[in-house]
């Protein structure tokens, strides 16, 4: 009976907590007011609100000779893996000072990487196919997402208080490739981040020659 | 000395392959090219004639290229590369190595700079046509006269350093590269070009294989060229002096590329060993490849240089200037591709050696239609036309002014 009660109270607590979490809708617009998709948005607490740690594994694929997805985001402490879906070998690398790596990844191979221990902006390339490029942003918050086709994303933020809301993309023509806004979360609310300048062109990850049998490494 | 160097390179490659401490990947690629060809030319230059195509006249069924590229790649950016080519065609069948080198390619720095080193036997990266496996030409069956010569008489046994600045890390949509090579074993380069002129085929010379050339009056007893061997081997070291090659490359992302370079074998032209002379050969070259859109692309190259061969008392025996240039346009539409290539070439003979006139002037045109039957299978029809004036053809009672034509049907399989 006691156990049942405590279970019930736990359930109630969970329901209460989830109802207490604040759905924050973040919308990113370009400088002309058009919705932008696939922009990383995340919220960083400013009042030492407790944040939970997650145990997610991020998988970045190599498919059709491109990094898929082009932009990835993960929380500090998350696991990282690469998965080659192509029928050719890639030579994946990052020249980032905090996170250097380079390895061959064969067709169909999955390669586990050490966990992401620091916040970072990792630029990845393939040393066989110079046109391939991918980005991974490691943030120190569980509240992150990428905007959908309508330019919006909903972050379920547990605690109230002040947060910094950040939109990031390597081609944002803004300081440090990001725009940010401080907000005070009291209840469900919305925030819109608008770019100051036109975004840079996203490089197309595509082989230039339609010819498949080039002799080059 | 150079043989020893090569042996050491092979040994190092073997040791690296054998060591299991570093993850390695083995890759084998290649091409099989089967052709039916017919031309109205004279005896082929490959058989020591003046005919500008690789086969003699009359219809021939041949395997003008069976090539394999073998690579071992390591995670650390090192690779060992071997390219083997073979040909089964009239009386000139051959088999052997065309390139063998170790390559190191660094991981680009955070500022986008990448180092590369290539050491061994390799082509200078002059050709913008021969970029497929086994140095095969992509859009045509026969290479241009310019690149046919590159494949015939130029190979570097040496080492090359290349630095590339990648635009991606610098917010630019272009990459820039600078490369410098020092090399040995290319001293007789220029002899075949002088004596049979510009030619048009897909035939590369196998490393250390010699080729015959048309006999001229000066090569008879008492003539200025009587000491010259009957075949020329372009890949010999005659004077123990290294040559060099420099190249600058500009690669505009999605649009095209441009190269310009200089080659000088620094051969002493008056040294002769076993009938093979040093030929002081130097040339400049430039090329551009441009994609107007997904379907239409243009390739153009020019090469201009000189070669000098002297008697042991340093009298000019062969002193030639030469030039070849082409423009080609390729239209690809789904499985079909059409290429038109126009060329102009010349050799100017500046010496007064009797019985050895190397003067030549000509124009060439190529039309290629290729149907991509499946991913690896390419079926092609190609027509080649060369009109040239070459006074030395009179030495063999051939017409000084000659038009040569060739029709080819080919099935090429890449793997």
């Amino acid at each position: 009976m006691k156990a049942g009660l405590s279970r019930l109270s736990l359930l109630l607590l969970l329901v209460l907590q989830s109802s207490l979490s604040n759905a924050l809708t973040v919308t990113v617009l370009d400088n002309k007011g058009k919705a932008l998709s696939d922009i990383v948005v995340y919220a960083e607490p400013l009042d030492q609100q407790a944040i939970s740690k997650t145990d997610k594994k991020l998988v970045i694929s190599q498919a059709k000779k491109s990094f898929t997805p082009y932009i990835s985001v993960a929380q500090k402490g998350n696991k990282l893996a690469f998965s080659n879906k192509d029928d050719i070998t890639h030579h994946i690398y990052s020249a980032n000072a905090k996170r250097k790596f380079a390895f061959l990844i064969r067709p169909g191979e999955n390669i586990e990487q050490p966990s992401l221990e620091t916040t970072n902006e990792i630029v990845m390339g393939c040393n066989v196919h110079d046109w391939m490029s991918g980005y991974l942003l490691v943030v120190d918050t569980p509240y992150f997402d990428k905007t959908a086709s309508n330019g919006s994303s909903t972050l379920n933020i547990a605690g109230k208080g002040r947060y910094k809301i950040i939109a990031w993309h390597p081609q944002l023509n803004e300081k440090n490739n990001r725009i940010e806004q401080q907000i005070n979360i009291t209840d469900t609310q919305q925030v819109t981040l608008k770019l100051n300048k036109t975004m840079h062109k996203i490089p197309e990850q595509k082989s230039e020659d339609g010819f498949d049998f080039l002799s080059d490494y | 000395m150079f043989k020893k160097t090569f042996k050491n390179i092979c040994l190092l490659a073997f040791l690296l392959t054998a060591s299991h401490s570093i993850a390695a990947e083995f890759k084998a690629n290649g091409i099989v090219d089967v052709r039916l060809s017919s031309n109205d030319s004279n005896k082929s230059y490959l058989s020591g004639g003046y005919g500008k195509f690789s086969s003699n006249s009359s219809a021939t069924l041949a395997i003008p290229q069976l090539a394999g590229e073998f690579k071992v790649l390591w995670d650390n950016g090192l690779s060992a590369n071997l390219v083997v080519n073979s040909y089964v065609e009239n009386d000139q069948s051959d088999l052997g190595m065309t390139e063998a080198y170790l390559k190191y390619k660094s991981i680009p720095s955070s500022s986008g700079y990448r180092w590369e080193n290539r050491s061994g036997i390799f082509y200078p990266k002059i050709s913008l046509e021969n970029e497929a496996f086994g140095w095969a030409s992509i859009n045509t069956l026969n290479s241009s006269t310019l690149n046919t010569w590159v494949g015939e008489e130029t190979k570097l046994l040496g080492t090359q350093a290349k630095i590339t600045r990648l635009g991606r890390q610098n917010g630019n949509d272009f990459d820039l590269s600078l490369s410098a090579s020092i090399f040995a074993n290319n001293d007789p380069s220029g002899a075949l070009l002088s004596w049979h002129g510009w030619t048009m085929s897909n035939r590369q010379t196998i490393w250390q294989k010699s080729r015959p050339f048309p006999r001229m009056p000066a090569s008879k007893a008492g003539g200025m060229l009587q000491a010259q061997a009957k075949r020329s081997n372009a890949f010999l070291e005659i004077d123990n002096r290294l040559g060099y090659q420099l190249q600058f490359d500009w690669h505009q992302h999605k649009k095209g590329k441009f190269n310009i370079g200089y080659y000088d074998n620094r051969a002493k032209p008056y040294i002769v060993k076993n009938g093979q002379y040093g030929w002081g050969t130097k040339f400049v070259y430039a090329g551009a490849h441009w994609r107007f859109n997904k379907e239409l692309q243009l390739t153009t190259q020019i090469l201009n240089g000189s070669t000098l061969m002297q008697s042991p008392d340093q009298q000019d025996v062969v002193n030639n200037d030469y030039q070849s240039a082409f423009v080609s346009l390729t239209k690809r539409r789904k499985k079909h591709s059409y290429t038109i290539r126009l060329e102009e070439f010349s050799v100017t003979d500046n010496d007064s050696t009797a019985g050895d006139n190397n003067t030549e002037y000509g124009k060439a045109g190529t039309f290629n239609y290729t149907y991509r039957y499946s991913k690896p299978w390419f079926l092609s029809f190609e027509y080649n036309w060369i009109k040239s004036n070459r006074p030395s053809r009179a030495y063999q009672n051939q017409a000084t002014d000659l038009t040569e034509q060739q029709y080819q049907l080919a099935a090429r399989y890449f793997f």
Side-chain angles (χ1 to χ4, degrees), chain A residues 64-67 70 129-133 171 200-208, chain B residues 168 173 253-255 294:
Chain A
K64 292 182 183 165
K65 297 180 192 169
S66 66
F67 280 94
Y70 171 56
H129 311 103
D130 281 340
W131 68 85
M132 286 173 64
S133 66
Q171 271 76 45
H200 292 301
K201 209 177 156 201
I202 296 171
E204 199 185 358
Q205 291 190 77
K206 211 174 168 198
S207 165
E208 299 184 359
Chain B
R168 197 163 58 81
D173 50 6
H253 299 169
K254 312 291 166 203
K255 287 289 180 190
K294 277 186 180 167

Side-chain angles (χ1 to χ4, degrees), chain A residues 7 26 44 52 65 81-82 84 109 118-119 122-124 126 145 152 155 162 165 175 181 206 211 213:
Chain A
R7 244 183 243 145
V26 185
E44 282 181 345
S52 59
K65 297 180 192 169
F82 289 86
N84 184 1
E109 194 178 8
T118 49
T119 57
I122 301 172
V123 187
M124 296 165 294
C126 171
D145 199 6
S152 294
L155 305 176
R162 290 186 308 137
I165 312 300
K175 195 184 168 194
Q181 192 177 318
K206 211 174 168 198
F211 194 76
F213 308 102

Side-chain angles (χ1 to χ4, degrees), chain B residues 57-126:
Chain B
S57 61
S58 83
T60 322
L61 181 67
I63 305 172
Q65 187 171 21
L66 178 60
E69 275 196 16
F70 307 96
K71 296 178 193 223
V72 186
L73 302 176
W74 290 273
D75 283 350
N76 60 9
L78 194 69
S79 64
N81 303 263
L82 175 70
V83 186
V84 174
N85 265 283
S86 64
Y87 308 94
V88 182
E89 189 171 15
N90 56 53
D91 58 342
Q92 289 297 325
S93 297
D94 217 337
L95 163 72
M97 177 262 287
T98 47
E99 293 187 276
Y101 55 89
L102 283 179
K103 186 173 170 179
Y104 171 71
K105 192 176 184 183
S106 80
I107 294 300
S109 70
S110 51
S111 49
Y113 285 89
R114 176 170 65 202
W115 277 102
E116 281 169 71
N117 176 266
R118 198 186 285 259
S119 295
I121 297 157
F122 52 91
Y123 281 111
K125 289 243 176 219
I126 297 170

